[in-house]
Amino acid sequence: MTALAVEGLTGGYAAADHVVKGVSFTVAAGELLCVIGPNGAGKSTVLKLMTGLLRPRAGRVLLGGREVTGLAPRAMIEAGLVLVPQERNVFGTLTVEENLVMGCFLDPRRARARMAAVTDRFPLLAERRRQAARTLSGGQRQILAMGQALMSEPRVLLLDEPTAGLSPKAAADLFALVRATADSGVAVLMVEQNALQAMQASDRALVLVDGRNAHEGPAPALACDPGIRRMFLGGRGAGSMDATGTYREPHP
Amino acid sequence: MPEALAQALINGVIAGTILAVPALGFTAIFAVLNYPNFAIGALATVGAYAGWVGNTALGLPMVAALALAFSATAVAGLVVQWAAVKPLESAGALMMAIASLAAGLVLENALRFGFGNDLRGYDLPLLRDWRFGEFRVGPQQVQNFALALAAMGMLWAFLRYSRTGRAMRAVADNRDLALLRGVDPARVAAVTVAVGAGLAGMGGMLVGLDTSVDPLVGTRLVLSIFAAAVLGGLGSIPGAVAGAIAIGVAEEVAVLAFNPAYRLVVGFVVILAVLTLRPAGLFGARAS
């Protein structure tokens, strides 16, 4: 079942400056779609246009078939769409627990129950509940940011470069958590620079170039596509996925 | 001399605790709305007069008069915000600060027009100072100190435990993320202005209880309030309390060495020193 559909989304930071030029895609419930592309391709701008932080010039955003294009962020949360921004995605001076409560700001009566569910999924957050968010490591902050977003029990979760600045180990752990979140039934759209690892964790991938859909398909297939690897990943191409889903370069 | 210094320290801690009340209002407004509201002095005067009217004309007890001072000043603060500051929001923090300064002058002169320039006193019983060996403390000083502590305690509980208080802290920390989590920044800004101005009004009344009420009672506090907020770190709530106590003590100790007319120089010196040596203040990161 399609949880999120984006049709011909167009817009940017200024009226005449369209960073995003007619992007379209769908994400099903329980599916993880990663959006990759070179710098300036419009990946993060797509998220801002979808969540009402920027006003789209054209196109539609549908959540479960209901149009939500251009709604204010508050209305987007109520409709079930939540964004985790790339930077400054937690309240540094608030404790971990307060950060989680802020994730349920519009429905405070459910905060206690939701917090129990989120800390069950991310036990680290329960261990550090009294700690100020600014004292967490980069990876822990990303987990808190995801936990905060999941507090409102979204149908669609948007992640903007969740592994930016993380060590390879922390990034791998985070991808596993994102994968588990999608497997729990949430539709996840993840914008990533760390393209290869992102595709390994995802069901499908969308490649954006110059604000437009360039390629789209099953993530394992795109990860092995020589053209894609040459364009964005710097690989030699024509490799294959092994049984664990890890890409293997061709033998020299 | 050691006794005089110790007495100055006692007086300074009490004066600083009272100064912390309007300094908290000033720094809360700065933290959420990102501009220094220099109408805070005139708003303190509004509170001093509102409390005076409540106490002398309406016969209210001190705590009820303090609540009236808070409420009247909260309304006055919102009027200043909506009529003078908000229309200049797009012009930046400097223009908003200048607008608040102008609105403060209007408020101050409106009070002068309404109440005249005479000194007014609250309806308080005359009580002897309490003596502890070489030291003296006035019962009114102690009452004001306790009321200031109670006001700070209530503010702390509001910010820590209430949904609106948490939203205020969230907006002060990260406005964009707060918006993404469903907080209405305009509503939070209005609550912050009301609470901040209300605290300034309470502070004005507490100072008026200690001295007297005239149209400049709050204006005389502006430099000390600003110095306290800068010293603690603009936008930092614990910083405002620490800064206010430090300024209160420094002003009282300075009187031992210099003519009391130079008391206000302390504020200037502190602002200059902090901006030169540690622009972020003791607890702040925002000002850096």
Side-chain angles (χ1 to χ4, degrees):
Chain A
M1 182 191 137
T2 300
L4 170 70
V6 171
E7 298 172 355
L9 196 64
T10 300
Y13 293 88
D17 175 26
H18 291 167
V19 178
V20 175
K21 301 154 187 163
V23 167
S24 300
F25 56 84
T26 60
V27 189
E31 185 181 36
L32 172 51
L33 171 73
C34 71
V35 179
I36 59 171
N39 283 333
K43 304 184 297 291
S44 295
T45 311
V46 166
L47 300 184
K48 288 177 182 165
L49 290 167
M50 288 170 63
T51 49
L53 291 177
L54 290 175
R55 180 175 290 276
R57 297 289 157 194
R60 299 197 307 162
V61 179
L62 298 118
L63 275 180
R66 177 191 157 209
E67 182 163 359
V68 295
T69 319
L71 291 183
R74 188 185 178 100
M76 286 292 186
I77 299 166
E78 285 165 346
L81 182 85
V82 173
L83 167 68
V84 178
Q86 180 187 351
E87 292 173 331
R88 301 195 68 222
N89 51 21
V90 297
F91 300 106
T93 56
L94 273 59
T95 63
V96 167
E97 183 173 317
E98 288 173 330
N99 266 277
L100 293 176
V101 171
M102 284 306 298
C104 212
F105 182 77
L106 293 180
D107 195 0
R109 281 171 301 181
R110 293 176 58 224
R112 191 177 292 270
R114 288 301 304 151
M115 196 169 336
V118 168
T119 50
D120 269 357
R121 182 176 294 181
F122 307 124
L124 169 99
L125 301 180
E127 292 162 21
R128 311 216 168 213
R129 65 194 315 152
R130 305 244 177 265
Q131 200 170 322
R134 67 170 180 269
T135 63
L136 300 177
S137 69
Q140 291 167 348
R141 272 189 221 193
Q142 291 295 348
I143 292 171
L144 174 58
M146 262 179 61
Q148 185 188 73
L150 292 173
M151 282 291 288
S152 64
E153 217 170 357
R155 284 190 286 167
V156 178
L157 178 65
L158 310 179
L159 302 171
D160 192 359
E161 300 199 21
T163 66
L166 298 189
S167 67
K169 165 79 170 65
D173 291 347
L174 195 74
F175 279 131
L177 290 176
V178 174
R179 178 71 256 173
T181 301
D183 291 341
S184 72
V186 180
V188 181
L189 170 65
M190 173 172 64
V191 164
E192 258 295 334
Q193 283 284 4
N194 194 349
L196 183 56
Q197 271 189 291
M199 284 195 284
Q200 285 171 355
S202 302
D203 298 304
R204 285 191 303 124
L206 167 66
V207 182
L208 289 187
V209 178
D210 191 26
R212 294 184 173 88
N213 292 41
H215 303 274
E216 188 176 355
L222 276 182
C224 298
D225 184 295
I228 298 292
R229 293 185 67 82
R230 268 195 299 275
M231 269 198 297
F232 303 113
L233 310 177
R236 285 170 286 134
S240 60
M241 286 283 193
D242 68 12
T244 64
T246 304
Y247 179 80
R248 300 291 177 204
E249 290 280 0
H251 294 293
Chain B
M1 191 62 183
E3 290 82 11
L5 183 63
Q7 181 69 55
L9 288 174
I10 292 168
N11 292 344
V13 168
I14 293 173
T17 307
I18 291 168
L19 182 67
V21 178
L24 281 170
F26 180 86
T27 214
I29 292 173
F30 183 89
V32 172
L33 287 99
N34 287 309
Y35 80 95
N37 187 332
F38 289 118
I40 209 86
L43 290 167
T45 309
V46 170
Y49 275 105
W52 175 76
V53 169
N55 175 238
T56 59
L58 306 177
L60 296 177
M62 216 42 72
V63 173
L66 208 55
L68 178 66
F70 181 93
S71 311
T73 320
V75 173
L78 286 171
V79 170
V80 166
Q81 181 67 20
W82 287 328
V85 179
K86 199 168 171 50
L88 292 169
E89 213 167 36
S90 60
L94 179 62
M95 292 304 286
M96 291 160 78
I98 293 170
S100 69
L101 198 61
L105 288 172
V106 172
L107 269 183
E108 180 191 311
N109 285 287
L111 289 168
R112 198 185 297 278
F113 186 76
F115 292 96
N117 287 320
D118 296 340
L119 297 178
R120 316 273 179 172
Y122 289 86
D123 186 12
L124 297 169
L126 280 174
L127 299 169
R128 281 180 190 278
D129 282 357
W130 292 328
R131 298 189 75 93
F132 303 97
E134 295 295 320
F135 307 117
R136 286 184 307 147
V137 184
Q140 189 59 51
Q141 265 186 307
V142 174
Q143 188 189 21
N144 294 351
F145 178 70
L147 288 170
L149 284 180
M152 285 192 273
M154 282 191 283
L155 177 70
W156 178 81
F158 170 70
L159 291 174
R160 180 79 177 79
Y161 296 112
S162 77
R163 181 169 175 260
T164 306
R166 213 165 18 240
M168 279 169 64
R169 288 164 57 213
V171 171
D173 184 298
N174 188 338
R175 188 181 186 280
D176 290 343
L177 185 61
L179 183 67
L180 281 173
R181 296 294 165 255
V183 176
D184 178 357
R187 184 174 170 275
V188 168
V191 173
T192 305
V193 168
V195 170
L199 288 169
M202 286 175 95
M205 180 175 161
L206 291 173
V207 171
L209 283 167
D210 202 29
T211 54
S212 59
V213 180
D214 71 274
L216 289 174
V217 65
T219 306
R220 281 190 291 271
L221 294 175
V222 170
L223 187 63
S224 302
I225 292 170
F226 188 56
V230 169
L231 177 60
L234 279 169
S236 164
I237 296 291
V241 176
I245 292 173
I247 293 288
V249 169
E251 285 183 353
E252 289 296 328
V253 172
V255 171
L256 294 178
F258 305 105
N259 185 312
Y262 293 113
R263 186 191 188 106
L264 280 180
V265 173
V266 170
F268 278 117
V269 171
V270 167
I271 291 169
L272 198 63
V274 171
L275 293 182
T276 306
L277 302 172
R278 191 179 163 88
L282 295 176
F283 293 80
R286 298 170 60 88
S288 56

